Structure formats: structure tokens, C-alpha cells
Amino acid sequence: MIELYVLLGLMIAGAIIAIEVKNLLSAVVAVGIVGLGLSIIFLLLKAPDVALTQIVVEIAAVILLIRATLHRDIALKPCGSRPFGGFLAILFLGLAVLAGALTFSGGLNPFGSPLMTVSEFYPMNAVAGTGAVNVVSSVILDYRAYDTLGEATVLFTAVVGVLTVMRSKGKKKEEDLQGNNE
Amino acid sequence: MSKEHEHGMSVIVKTVTRLTVGLIFLYGMYIVLHGHITPGGGFAGGVIIALSFINLDLAFGGKVSGKVFSKGGTSLVEALGAVMFLALALMGLQYGGFFDNFLHPDGEPGDLVSAGIIPLENIAISLKVGAGLFGIFLTLIVLQKFESEKKQ
Amino acid sequence: MMKLARWIAGTVVLLGLIALIIVLPFRSMFFQQNQEHIGFAGRVVYILILSSLMVLYRVLKGPTAADRIVAIDIFGILIVGLCAVLSIASGRSWYIDIGIAWGLQSFIGTLALSKYLEGRSFDD
Amino acid sequence: MKSRILMFVFAFAVWCILTWVPDVQQLIAGGAVALIVSVVMGSMFVNRPHMLFNPIRVFYFLFWYVPVFIWELIRANFDVAYRVIHPGMPIKPGIVRLRTELKSDTGLTFLANSITLTPGTLTVDINRDDGVLYIHWINVVGTDPETTFREIGSRFEPMLKKIFEEDVVE
Amino acid sequence: MTYLIDALKNPNGYLATTPLSLLCAVFAAMFFVFTVVYSFRHMTGTKGLWRYYIYLVATFVATLGILFSTTFLVLLVLWGFLGLMLYLLINFGSREGTPESARKSLAIIGGTDVLLLLGIVLIWSIRYGGTGLAGFLKLPFGGMAIDLDTTGSVIAYLCLASAAFAKAGAMPFHTWLPDTARDAPVPVAAYLPASLDKLLGIYFLAKVTLDVFVMTTAMNTILMALGSITIMAAVMMALVQHDMKRLLGYHAVSQVGYMVLGIGTGNPVGIAGALFHMFNNTIYKSSLFLAGGEVERRTGTSDLSRLGGLVKAMPLVFVAFLVASLSISGVPPFNGFASKWMLYQGVITGGGKLWVVWLVAAMLGSALTLASFMKLVHSVFLGQPSELSRKVIDNGEKTGFFTLLPLSVLSLLCIGLGVFAWKIPFGSYFSPEVSGEVFMPGIWQSGLATLILIAGLVTGYLIYRAGNLKNARVAAPFIGGETLADNPDMRVSGVDFYRTIRELGILRGIYRLAEKKLFDLYEVLQKIAAGFGLILSFMHNGILSRYFLWFIIGLAVLCIVLI
Amino acid sequence: MIDIIGMVFIGVGLSFDVLGCLGLVRLPDVYNRLQAATKCVTLGTCSILFGTFLVSGGFTETGFKALIAIVFLVLASPVAAHAVSRGAHRAGIKLWDRSVVDSYAEDKEGEA
Amino acid sequence: MNAYMPYILCLILFCIGIYAVLSKRNIIKIILGVVIAEYAVNLFLILVAYKTGGRAAIFSATENIPPQSMVDPLPHALVLTSIVIGLATTAFMIALAIRLYGKYGTFDITRMRELRG
Amino acid sequence: MISESIVPLFVAIPLAGAFLTALLKRVKGIPDTLGVMSSVFTFALSVFFILRMQAGRVFVLNVGNWGGFHEVLGRIVGIQMVVDGFTIFMLIIVNFVAFLVAVYSVNYMTRYTEKWQFHTLFLLMLAGMNGVLITGDMFNLFVFVEIASIASYALVAFGTEKRELEASFKYAVMGGVASLLILLGVIFLYSATGTLNMGDMRAILADSGQPALIYLVFGLLLTGFGLKAAMVPFHAWLPDAHPSAPAPISAMLSGVLIKALGVYAIARVFFTVFGFPHQVSIILLVLAAVSMGVGALVALRQWDMKRLLAYSSISQVGYIMLGLGIGTELGVLGALFHLFNHSMFKSLLFLDSGAVEYSTGTRDMKEMGGLARKMPVTSGSTLAGAMSLAGIPPFAGFWSKLIIIIAAVQAHHMKLAAWAALMSIVTIAYVLKVTRYAFLGEVRAAFANIREVPAFMRISLVVLALVCILGGLLLVPQVREGFLDPAVRVLIGTGGM
């Protein structure tokens, strides 16, 4: 239990650093730490598939995020907060925790004892039903393969979206249109 | 600065990348092919494959990595992967339903060739994801060039 | 003389901390109790987490971005060890797969970060 | 082409290790995978494939370089540990030049790596044209070329030269 | 459940006639024919003329539908459709302000349509609440007798009345009318705002007041007050207008006041008078518009200061215009007097404690109407010809048959209905419609009076002939020692006849406010809405953080409310 | 017996990891931290991996993978350290103010 | 309460992400905020799935693992999808950020307010 | 049986179209052809289903044949696709508008570079919306919401101009966080019920009583889907995003996306799964009232034609939500009917604004004027759409507003009815602003030479205008029984899942 708390604390600390640090590169690195800590938690909570995916995605995201910070000189410029932001944030945080605390005590299962209604089915029948030893794999690619189709499509959409956004010229100029007509 | 630094990182990085990039690529494929036996699967493996290309790009610069895998190639492979996945789903229609695991009886659980269409789906996803992520990476880079040209 | 005393005191405190972690009967809920190496591995996890806290300190404090990059690099390597330990603790070989993947990815990430630090674009 | 073949062999070997307890399916898959790897990535695996076919070099590498390297590595760790734990932190850092006669990529790389992992030194940059390595030295003894070579380069350069460069038969 | 399509299969379920509606329909048909005839000449050269005629026909059909409808739903649909048609027809005008006027009129009429809808729904919920959608679809128009004793019913009545007011052009929903009269093509102005909309609005108001609700004294008083205010205010505005069509438009508003006043009296004479006035009004107002339209077509302007002395160019038009003017002013032998007389009687009997006020307002309004028409007639037809008029006179174009036909028929109607007022309309049509006995103290014997008047006129003519007036000196008019022919600027136009009343104490302030459009409900509401819009659009300041803050506050509030 | 040796390796590796991280915390500038951290953590982790190799029974699935990991780490981690230090230097991050000499900066200035 | 503590910590992480989006002016920080919030949600799913003493949901050839002892595999599958969706969103937002920098010459969100009113 | 097994084609056809477009982008004409053909096929498919749909019939497909265990376990282990009355109603709307938009964009998108990307993203968005509509699984709903959302983020930025990117970024950030909230809500639900299938969830919640947690779920889902539906105060992205997109996409976004992702999802989740609790009803009513007011009042001040229309969408969604929030049979009928009408006329108006922009190159109404003379088809169809939006009687919009107001009065929400009526007046005012400044008046000198838009664009405009005029016929009993009534019955619980 204690390692979970320590790691969660590490993630929270990392997140605060990521948000409050002035240097953008440092912020990105701090987010990287948060993501890697998340991955360790996944590993410890017996979710190896997710942990593996989280690592690779984390690195990919960090690389992309670094790309976004463009030039070093900008990264080192300070970037402020909007006024009242801190106050509001604390207020909101308090409210959220309060709401969470109130709610968790009435309905959410305690940590460590999930309500496995449908999920009991999967470990029992996965090998016989799908032939995959990895139950998670059998869930994502057989029982819920349709979700995975959606997931693949989301990524495809993002790729086309990035291509779209990165076009240097979106609309044709008048002269181009003339050229086309002729 | 000396001439050798014009493309890519220092010679040390280049050499080690030459030695290890194949390993990374292979490891990505390992993750993909063993997705139904061990953790991982198409997505994680695909990202690793994409990262191996990104590694190449980082170490050697765009020219070398462009020879290995061009931007046009990425979008082609990506669309191919997507079509393949969808085709697998639709082939199920003939056997009883959307996403029907029609190859399922083949293979013993735990072997490489088992679990029906799951490995095939993994391969399709990995093609898509690998090519897609690398495509995003390349796209983001190309504009950087464009911007810097504009500024000068 | 003072120096030596501080040296000894520091060492003792550090070793004591490690010993304490190894000796104290923390009950880890993340490992099966029927495993042979479990007690040991659990404590290993604590020590590695102690290390990662130090890494976090560097991320928190690190005056420059480079320090933070170093920290994240080191963090990645530490986790490879953690995965290896988990692998022997649970008897599953695929934990070390994750470790290898981690090492590979961490390497690439560090390369990207340091290339950025040099102030060059990625395809240059 | 030779590079690709080497890559194929290497990849196949790694695959076999990864999927230990080999069976037929894994081997076939491994062949296919290794083929793909060698086609896609193989062209740049090694620059001078013949070096790897020279048994003497391999022998030198495995039984001379590697033990020395491991020994230095362990020594380096204790050195660092000492410096870290010591409350006074006995360090005197600086960046110095190290002239080297190595020319090949692999040789330089191994030299740099070795230097990085051995006591008190870290390769910061490399200038291949002038044959200069810039070394961050945690405890600078002297900045003149002789001193630096004696203290840093002398352990590895000769043997790396032997393994990777000397009597190149081409 | 029965549905709309039943209406198409079985018209009896949805459409029926009453004598009043039949009379209205006859009038509507007449105006339709006149408008079409008039348009043959007037609208030549307009683009998309085929659409124009289609709209005219559609308008007519919709009018008939409203008049014959027995359910609120059909009425509502056609009512709104008529507003749309008005909008489309106004757009055939080619003035600069046409789009704005069209927008204004549809906004007001469409807006009150929504109120009508609300009122109908309220009626349904008061009376037939439990019947579901089917009940609403078959909600009968009339025969309900809802007491105005609950808030809901009062609101419902006000909603329905506001729709009627807007359509007819009574205050406070009148403001679209003058603008439309100015900017719409003349046949359209004569057809819709002056005729059909009046017919329908007052028909609807009467029907709602008599047949759907049971009136109370308070509501009657409100109606009468609104009517009086409308009479006075509109006529005061009309006095100072510089534009012929706009002036006519204000008169159209003013006359509606009489009808509202009459309906508000709540006694049979008043209501009958109101209905009678409605018909009369449509007649002479159409005539006025059509005549004015001929003037405009010939001269190309309706600005009073540029007109004058046109009697030489178009004498017949002048005659028709004069007849209609006298009629609208309530000069005895014409129909306007007949109906106004009835109204006065209704006010005296049914006006409650304040009957004097209403009566004074009505009579004063009548007088002021006469005054303003003196101005109008003078500055358009009489007086010295302006430069423009001279050109028209020199042009020598004859007034066409298609123009004269409607004008002459309408003029004859003006006279005829005035002379035979008591015989034709009442005996046949109003009595069955107006519940209760029509009791008239001091009835106007129109036939006799006409005879007396004709006698007087003949006497006057004889005196004229007998006198030596031919020998009167004819000379070029002088102003300030200069001949007018040399100094066109010095011409006396009728425009400024009543300028002085603008300078009078309180009236001055009121006029100034009116010029700022503070009495224009449309403008005021638009300003209020724009004010709210300004605040809200200021809040959309383009910063993501602000938007996100709303989002988060919304989430927090929702969570707090729910938990 | 071999398990015990493996455990010892793991223990030693852990100590080195902790020491490396301590170095990361204590040392004054980024280059020194790199020195400490890279060396100690690399060796520590390799040691843990070797321990794993031993404990898991030699050339088994796990053992082989551990060896691959060792090879990769030894190849990659000094390169990463090199890349970071080079990047840091180029980014203009100064050496510790008590540093003795900076030939690299001199040479760079000479070129520029 | 102890049994819910991980959830609450996770919620705090989520709030930190939201806070970044709410109050930071730099668009990269805003993206980081979204990323952190995403992590928190993923973590929450995994926390929900954990079973005390449970084992990873993979069968082994060498060892007999009872299915009852496995943790809930369904949320793991969901998290995989959710991670990918997060990556896709992040990548897209980064592309936008890069273009926005090119167009506006700044990362400050308060200066990107051409659309208002 | 055949009907069930072809349900996945609703998603598969557009997806295949998108993938193939990306694959064959080099071939000339392929993107256009695939874009139009895919939407034609999906539309034909939805027509096929509505012909097969009898009263109360529900098509259920278990993806991957994983429904066979239902008897054993009592729960669905896989993902279900469900096509009931409400679904088919939405499918018809979405695919019809998509089809017309695809036809329209054949000509329109020649103004932009890289047309294939447009068609790919468009088809992906369509697939996402269809996926949202036909799924019977909470998480799957989320996934498809994300597909459609990301595609729409990208499409908003399609012109890659300054403002478009800005709008897209705001939209992406807010939409991304909203998606996270939705996901969080889904997780809470999962942890409370142990299943993801909507039908099972409803059964479990009905059996076991609702835990306190459920209210948090309400809040999260309302916020998340409310943002997608652009209810005030979650609306702020919409007036930026919708005008920035190319006109066909604005039409899709305002016309169907906010409904498929927002209104449909809210209706489906709160009516089908939670049984429409009282608190949600009140919240919906309040939000609806605020939305109506804010949208209409701000729209009054706009001079950018598309921005005005965007604000008007906020207001009209308020009407739809009002009908849903009332929750009676009549209210739901009105809401759904208004949803249909709004899809039609708002798509039409956006397409018209696109046509104007295509010809004149501007969207600022101050610069326009007199376009009715130059572009008769465009102005005529705009008039039809505008009058329908304003609720002028013979047009379709009138009937739906009528029913909503009736429903509000029937449910004794007098104040809401009055408010709706008042805002309807404001609606008339801003709608007339469009026609007055853009189409009426004198032609500007700058636009002396403009022409009417090309043929494909005209086809779409005319068809939509016809629907706007004739839409009231949907209330005719024979049509209503086949189209609107099944949807209403699903929501108020006398049929469907």
C-alpha cells in the first residue's frame, strides 16, 4: 500500500512542478516523470499491458511535446498565470475533494475489491473462447474488438488531423483557382 | 563547428544508434507478435517501431531516415493497416458476424499461432500505429523547416 | 575530525535507512504471499522507490532543464532494475520485457531531449 | 549487402534469445522478422563488416577489452560512491582535451563509452577531424595532453586500436 | 387522434362561414381584384412579377382561410403565413428603407404571432388542458366564453389582442405601419396594411372579445384607453409628416383607434360601429393609397415639399382623393361619418365613467384628421405647382383605366355606404353577428341628411354661377414682392402648415421623444435586447481561460446541486 | 547457492543505485551529476539484472532477456550521458563555479 | 476512508490538471494540464480494477494461475483505448500549438482572442 | 436476421471510405466519389432500416457473436449494437444531412488544398456519429464520441488561417476535458454496476437502487455531453468553432454533430439508462432556458453571418433541451421534431452562408447587400431556412416550436413557455437581420459580377429548402407513426431497449 501512496505523491509533486515551473522544457520533463510514475503504478497494480503502452506513449508524447516548445529561447521565457487562478484552483480543488469524499463513501467500491460482474467471465473463458493467453489482449481484440477499431480510427483521425493542420496553405488563392479552371 | 555535426548528432550517438536501432525495431515486432501471449500488443509494439524510426531520425537527420521510410510511405502504410483491420472485421460477416473470430480453432493457447485473428489484428494495428506516429513526427518536423525559412 | 564524524554519521544514517527498509515488516499488497522471494523483492521495491524520490527531488529542484533530463534518464534506468526484480518476484518472464522496452524508450527519449537541448531541430 | 546479412544473423539470434525455448513457429516467425529488419534497417548496421569476421579481433574484444572494462567500471563506481558519500565532496571538476589517434567510428565510440563509464570521466564531445575528445573530469590532475592521455586514454586506446584499427587489411 | 390532414379531406371540420366573415371576404375579394387591376399598370417594370402575383393570390387565399377558420390552429398558421406574405410583398418596393421596413414589419407581426401562439396555448390549457395534442389541433375558435378572472386568462386575452393590434396596426404595435406604407409598393400598401390586415385584425379582435372571452369592465377600459391613445397619438404624428405615404400610414393607425375604441365599449352599438368603421376604413384608405400611388408613380416622389398643384395633371384622381379624404375625416355625407357617429353613440352609452374622455379623444381625432388632410390635399393637388409637378403637367399623360377603375368604384362606395349606411350593412350583416339588441339613440338619418347636403351643394353652385366670379383677376402669384415663377424656392407648400404645434409646450417634448423613437416598442425592445446582448457578448471575450472557467463553474454547480 | 549469489548481486546493485541517486542529489552541477548517476546507476542496474539472471536459473527465458538488457544498457547509457552533457554545454549551461578548466568552451570560442 | 485514499489522491491529480488548463496562460502548459488530467483518469480506471492480492491477467505455461485470482481485465482494455485517445488528442493539440505559434508569435493564450463577441 | 447483421455497415462503410480515400488519394476524382458514395450508401441503409422498422421493433447485434452467453451469465460480455426507433430517427437525419453536405462539398471544397483530407475527415466524423448512434455500450459511446470530436477539431482548422486555428484549439481543449469528464462518468458507472452495457446497467440500477455515486455521474455526464451539445454555460467553444470551419462542415457541426454527440447522448443516457430522474429534468430545463436566452441575445449583435448562425444554434439547442427536460410524451415529441427541423434548416443556412462566401468572398453582413438579385437560388433557400428558424407558420420550424410550447404549458411550466415565446421573437429579429442585410437592398458595386454557385451546391440547397418547407408534414399521422413516434416511444419508455 505504502508504495502506492509514495508513487501517487511523486506524481502529484511532478504534476505541480510541471505546471508551476517557468521553463517549458523542464515542464515537459516533469510531465514525463509523472507519466513514468504512472507506468510504475500500472506495473505494481498488475496491469502490465497498460504499463508497457503507457511507457511508449509517454516517450512519444514527450518527444512530440518537446517539438512543440520549438525554440530554446522561448522555452526559457517566463509564462504567468491569470490572476485569481490560484484562489479559484484551491477553491475548486477543495470542492472536488469534498464531493469525491462524499461520493466515494456511498457507492464506489473500496480500493482493492472491485465489483466484477461481467469481468469474471473473461478470465474464466478467455482461453477457451478466444485462444489468447493474455486475457487483456483477448478482451481488447476479441470481446471488445469494436472498441479497438474505434481506437485505431481515433489515431488515424489524429494523423489526418495533424496533416491537415500542418498544411502551410489551407485555402487556394484566386490565381490558383484561375489556373485550375483553365 | 566542424562539418560532421551538420547532420545528426555526434558520431558516438550515430554509431550506437546504428548498432541498436535494429534491436529496437526487432523488439517492437516481438511485442507485436507476442501480443496475445505476453503484455503488449499492436499498439505498444507499433509505437516502439515508430520510435525506432524516430531514433534514426534523431541520430542521423531527416535525410537518412527519409531514405528508410518516407512521409508518403507512412500515410500509405497507415491507411493499409487501417484497411486491413477493417477487412478483418468485415470478413467476420461471412462467418457469422462483425468481428467474428473466424480463425479461432487453429492453434494451441500459448503458441505463437493461436488465438485466431488476434495476432493478425495486432499486426494491422501495429502497421497503422507505427506509420501513423512516425507520420505525425515527420509532419511536425517539416513545418519547422518551413517556419524557419519564412523567418529568414 | 568533524568532517570524519559527519562522514560516518551520514553513512550510518543511509545504511540504517536501507537496513530499516529491509528489516521492517512492511506488508506489501502487491505481491503474492505464497512466493518464495517475495519479502526480499518487496523491499527492493521500497529501495528503488527511495531512489526515485531522490530523482524526483532533482526534478523538483533542478535549476536547469538539463538536470531534469538527467533525472529522467536515470529514472528510466532504475526502472529496468525494478522490472527485473518484479520478474523474479512473480516468476513471470514478461516483466523483464517491459524493462527492456523501458530501457529502449528511455534512451530514445533522452536522445530527443538532449538534441533539443542542443538547440537543433529533430531532423537536422 | 554484407551488412544486411550480418543484421539478419544478429536479428535472428536476438529473436531466438527473446523467445527462448525455441519451437518451429517461433523460428519461422523469427526468420521473417529478421528478414524484415535486415531489409529495412540493415544497410547501416555496420560500416565495415569484415571486422566482425576476424576472430582475433573478436577474441581480443571479449577476453581483453571486456574484463578490463568491467574492472574499470567497478572501480569507477566505488570512486564515485566515495566522492558522493564523503561530506566534503572531494571534487575538482573541469573539461579537458584528450588527443586520440583512433579514426574509425566504432573505435571512437567505444573509447568514448569506456571513458564515460570509467573513473571520474565523462565524454562531453568529440571532434573527429582533429582527433580530440572533450572530457569532463571530476578530479582534474592536469590539463596538458600527456597528463590527460596518461590518466584517461592510456587504459583503452591501445587495445581499441588493436581491435578496431590496426593492420587494417582492405 | 385526428390530424391536420383531416382538414384537407374534410373542410367542414375546420372551415365555416358566418355573415360577418362572408362580408369581410367579399370586401377582401374586392380589394384583391382592385389591387390586381391597379398593379397591371403600376407594377410594370418590376423584376419577378410572377412571384408578385403569386404572393397576392396566396395572401388572398390565406385571408379567406382566416376568415372562415373555425379552429385556432388553422387561424394561427394562416395568420403567420400572412405576415410572411406581407414581408415578401414589401420587398418589392425599391426604396432605400424597404428592407428595413420589411424587417420591422415581419419582426413585429411575427413576434405578436408568437404571442398569439402563446395565447392560444393558454386558452387550450385553461379550457381543454387534458385533451393532449389532438385537443389542441381541434381547439375551436369561438364559442368558449372564458372568464377573465384568472391571470392566465387575462394574459391569454392580452396575447390574442396584441396579435390583433399588431395586425391592425393599433398602438403599441403600430410602428411598422407608417414605415411600410412609405416603403412598400403602393398596391401592396393599399392591399395589406390598409385593407386586409385591418379587416383581419379587427375581425379577430371582435371575435375574440365577443366570442372567446367574457369581457370585464377593466379590460374594456384598457381597450378604450388604447384606442383613444392610438387615435390621438397617431393623428398628431400624421400632422407633422413630410411624406405623403407615411402620413397616410399614420392615418391608418389612427383609424384603427376608433375600431378598438368601439370594440372596447362593449355595447352593441359601439361594436357594430367599429365593424362598420372597419369596412369604411378599408374602402377609403385603399382609395387614398391608390390615388397617392398614382401621384407617386407619375412624379416619382412622395415628398410633400416637392409636390403641389397636381390637380391639373390628374383631376379625376384628385376627386377620388378628395372624396376619400372627406370620408376619413368624418365629413357627413360620406361613410366615415356614419360609422364614427355610431361609435360616438357607443362610447356615450358604454364608455363607463370616463366616457367624456374617450368621446373627446375620438372627436378631436376626427377634427385633427380633417386638418391633416387639408394639409395633404393642399400640398399635393392644390397650391402652386412645383417644378416637378410642372413637368408632370407638361407631360400630359392621362390617368389610365386600370387606375381609375378601382378609384372610381371605391369613391362610389364611400358615398354609397355613407348614404345608405343604415340599410345595407346593418340590416344584413352586423345584427346577426353582434349579440344583443342594437339600440341607437339619435340615429343618423343618412339618406335624409344627404338630400339636405346635396341641396346645399346645388344652392352653392347656383350662387357661384350667379355671382360674377369669372371676372376675378388672374395674376401670377406673388410672394414677398417676387413672382413665384422666378423664385421656385419661395413657393408656399403645405408641408409646414402645422409646424407650430410642434413648438407647443408639452407636445414639443413628446414629439422630440417620438423622433428618438422612444414610443416605438420595436425599437425600444430592440435596444433592450441589444443591451443584454452587449453585456453577454462582452463576456465572450475570446480568452480560453474564461470560457473554461464557466465550464468548471458549471460542473461544480451541477455537482453541488446534485449531491 | 546460486540464488544467494544472485541476491547479493541484486543487493549490491541496489546500493549502487541509491548511491547514484544520492550523487544526483548532492553534486553541484549537471556534469558532475551525470558522472555519478550514469556510472552508479548503470552498474547498479546491470548488477541487478545479472542477479536476476542468476536467480532465475541461468539461461532461461528471463535470464536471456536480462542479458540482452545488460548489453543494451552498457551500450546506451553512456551515450545518453554523452548526449545530455553535450547538449547541456551547447545550451550554455555553465560548469560549477569552482571548476578548474573548461577547454571545450575555449575551443568553441576559438572556432566562433 | 483509507480504502478510498488512492481515489482521492487520483482526484487531486485530476484537479491539478484542470487547474493548469484553468489558470495558465501558456498554451503548452494548458496542453500539459490536459495530459495530466488524462493520466489521472487512466489511473482511476486501473485503481478501480485492482483486486487485493490479485494477479496480472495473463495465463502462464509454467504455472497454474486460477482465473479467480486475476485482477479485473476489462478496465485494462478500456485504459488501453483511453491512452491511445489521449495520445491522439495530445498530438493534435501540439500540432495546433505549433501552428498557433507560427501565426501569433506567442504562446500566450490571452493574446489569441481574435474571435470574440 | 439479415437486417441485424448489416447494422455494422453504418460504421464500416464510412470508415472504409475514409481509409480508401487516404489510400487512393492520388487518383483523381476518388476522394469526391468515395465521399459521396459512402454517404449515399449509409443514407440508403438508414432508409432501408426505417422501412423494416415496425412498431417497437429493435435490432440488436452482438459484435463478435459474444451475446450467446447471455443466458449463462445474465449479462452481455461483448459490445452490442442496438438500432431502435430513436436510433433510426437520428440515423436518418445524420446521414441525410451528410449526404447533402458531401454533394455540396464536391464543388465547394475546390477552394481548399488537399481535398482528400477533407473527405477523409468528413467520413471519419460521419462514422463517429453513426457509431455513437448505433452503439449500446457506454464505453463504446465514448470512443465514437472521441472519433467524431477529433475529426471535428481538425475540420474546424481546415483552412489553417489564424482564426481557424485559434478556434480549433479552444474547441480541442474544452472538448478534450469534456471527454475526460465523460470517461470519468463512465468509469464511475462501471464501478457501480460492473457492466458497460446500457441495458444491463439500467436493469442493475433499477434492481439495486441508485447509490449516492450516481449523482456525481449525472453531473459529470451532463457536463461532458452538455459541452458537446453546447448548452450554456458549456457553449463557449461553439461560436468560435462553427463559423471557422468550411461551410459544409459548419453545416455538419451545427446541423448534426452537436445533436448526435450531445443531445442524443444525453437523451440516451438519461432516459434509457437512468430512467430520467427528476433532478436531471430540472437541470435540463434551467440550462435550456439559459441557453435559449444567451444564444438568441448574443446572436442579435453579430455581423458575421456564420457567427450569428452559430449563436442561434446555442439558442435552438436550448429549445430541444427544453422539450427533453419536460419529459412528457408531447415534450419529447416536440424536442425530437425540433431536432429534425433544426438539423435541416441550420444545415441549410450554413450551406447558404457558404454559398455567399463562395461567391462574394466575405461573411460580413455589413459588406453584403442585394444578393437576392444575383443569387436567386441561394437567397430563396436562405429565406426558407430563415423562416423555418424563425418559426413562421407554414415552415417546419413553426410546428416544432408550437409543440414544445404546448408541452411546456401542459406540464405547467408557464414561465418557461413564455420565455420560449419571448426568445422566439428575438429569433425572428436576428433571422431577419440575415435576410435584410445580406440579400435585400441594393447590390454593392464590388459584387456586380458575382454569379450563382455551381450545380452540385445548388442541388443541396434546393433539397434542404424543400425539406424545410415541407417538414411540417412529418406530423401527418401516417408519416409520424413510422418516423417520430417510435423514437418518442423509446425515450418515454414504452418501447425500445
Side-chain angles (χ1 to χ4, degrees), chain E residues 215-240:
Chain E
M215 295 297 285
T216 57
T217 320
M219 194 52 75
N220 274 336
T221 312
I222 290 173
L223 275 187
M224 283 192 283
L226 280 173
S228 307
I229 293 170
T230 307
I231 294 170
M232 285 307 294
V235 84
M236 294 295 278
M237 288 304 292
L239 274 179
V240 296

Side-chain angles (χ1 to χ4, degrees), chain D residues 3-70:
Chain D
S3 170
R4 283 185 201 279
I5 292 168
L6 265 175
M7 187 82 199
F8 181 82
V9 173
F10 171 75
F12 193 69
V14 173
W15 178 270
C16 290
I17 294 172
L18 278 174
T19 63
W20 188 240
V21 199
D23 62 42
V24 181
Q25 288 174 4
Q26 300 281 14
L27 288 179
I28 294 169
V33 167
L35 198 66
I36 294 170
V37 172
S38 59
V39 166
V40 177
M41 298 272 190
S43 59
M44 58 184 64
F45 182 51
V46 281
N47 283 353
R48 294 168 303 160
H50 60 273
M51 302 294 275
L52 259 177
F53 293 118
N54 190 335
I56 298 167
R57 291 174 196 275
V58 177
F59 179 81
Y60 274 145
F61 183 80
L62 284 179
F63 295 100
W64 186 20
Y65 171 77
V66 172
V68 171
F69 174 75
I70 290 171

Side-chain angles (χ1 to χ4, degrees), chain E residues 1 3-5 9 47 73 76-81 84 87-88 91 94 99-100 102-103 106-107 110-115 117-118 121-122 124-125 129 132-133 136 526 529-530 532-534 536-537 540 542-544 547-548 550-551 554-555 558-559 561-563, chain H residues 166 169-170 173-174 177-178 181 215-216 218-220 222-223 227 233-236 240 279 283 294 297-298 300-301 311 330 333 383 387 392-395 398-399 402 405-406 409-410 414 417-418 421 424-425 428-429 432-433 435-437 440-441 475-477 480:
Chain E
M1 275 191 169
Y3 296 90
L4 189 63
I5 200 159
K9 285 179 188 164
K47 259 191 163 182
L73 187 71
L76 175 62
V77 171
L78 294 174
W79 193 269
F81 181 69
L84 177 66
Y87 175 75
L88 292 171
N91 278 325
S94 52
E100 188 58 44
R103 181 187 169 201
L106 185 56
T112 48
D113 278 354
V114 179
L115 292 181
L117 192 160
L118 196 62
V121 174
L122 279 172
W124 167 74
S125 81
L133 190 57
F136 183 82
Q526 203 179 32
F532 279 116
L534 182 68
L536 287 169
S537 75
H540 291 77
I543 297 175
L544 176 65
Y547 296 165
F548 199 74
W550 297 349
F551 177 62
L555 171 66
L558 277 192
C559 288
V561 167
L562 278 167
I563 292 172
Chain H
E166 181 193 328
F169 185 75
K170 288 176 186 169
V173 169
M174 298 190 71
V177 175
L181 294 182
Y215 295 107
L216 187 63
F218 288 168
L220 291 170
L222 263 181
T223 316
L227 186 130
F234 316 122
H235 67 289
D240 292 352
Q279 298 94 324
I283 286 176
V294 171
L297 287 174
V298 185
L300 208 52
R301 283 189 53 80
Y311 274 112
L330 209 53
L333 175 70
L383 190 72
M387 290 303 134
I392 301 292
F395 293 97
F398 165 75
W399 299 101
L402 175 75
I405 291 177
I406 291 175
V409 170
Q410 194 188 33
M414 296 293 177
S424 182
I425 296 171
I428 294 173
L432 289 177
K433 191 172 172 180
T435 48
R436 179 242 182 281
Y437 285 101
L440 302 179
L475 283 180
V476 172
R480 206 179 117 179

Side-chain angles (χ1 to χ4, degrees), chain H residues 459-477:
Chain H
I459 292 174
S460 298
L461 296 181
V462 169
V463 171
L464 277 172
L466 283 178
V467 174
C468 280
I469 293 170
L470 302 176
L473 293 179
L474 279 184
L475 283 180
V476 172

